[in-house]
Amino acid sequence: NIVLCRLPSHTSHKLQPCYVAVFAPLKAAYREQANDWSGEVSIRSARSILLLCFSHARVKALTAKNIKAGVAASGLFPFNPD
């Protein structure tokens, strides 16, 4: 039950579902995680902390609800030519 769609290259951000409703929550969740770890990071552990923060942020932000909201907000499905 997976429907693939190809978005034209170099289209405006309004056609890109990820920009509309997915990346903003991901950015906010990552910032929150990074702020939680900011006092405990040494130069040596920065890479592992970065991956840990992103992993937690990804689970929190990349939800089916956000992805579906992005597709709906961009007007791709259900189709909305406006």
Side-chain angles (χ1 to χ4, degrees):
N1 294 333
I2 297 174
V3 177
L4 299 177
C5 75
R6 182 179 180 280
L7 300 174
S9 300
H10 309 293
T11 56
S12 72
H13 71 280
K14 293 188 184 277
L15 278 182
Q16 303 293 338
C18 288
Y19 286 121
V20 175
V22 178
F23 289 150
L26 179 61
K27 182 179 176 181
Y30 178 77
R31 183 178 294 134
E32 181 182 317
Q33 288 293 320
N35 286 339
D36 289 347
W37 284 94
S38 64
E40 303 176 31
V41 176
S42 68
I43 299 292
R44 292 190 114 157
S45 65
R47 285 187 189 162
S48 60
I49 297 298
L50 177 122
L51 293 174
L52 182 64
C53 290
F54 186 78
S55 177
H56 287 292
R58 182 177 48 92
V59 169
K60 186 175 180 180
L62 297 182
T63 63
K65 180 181 174 185
N66 283 353
I67 294 168
K68 288 177 183 178
V71 174
S74 66
L76 295 175
F77 185 83
F79 180 65
N80 180 357
D82 293 333

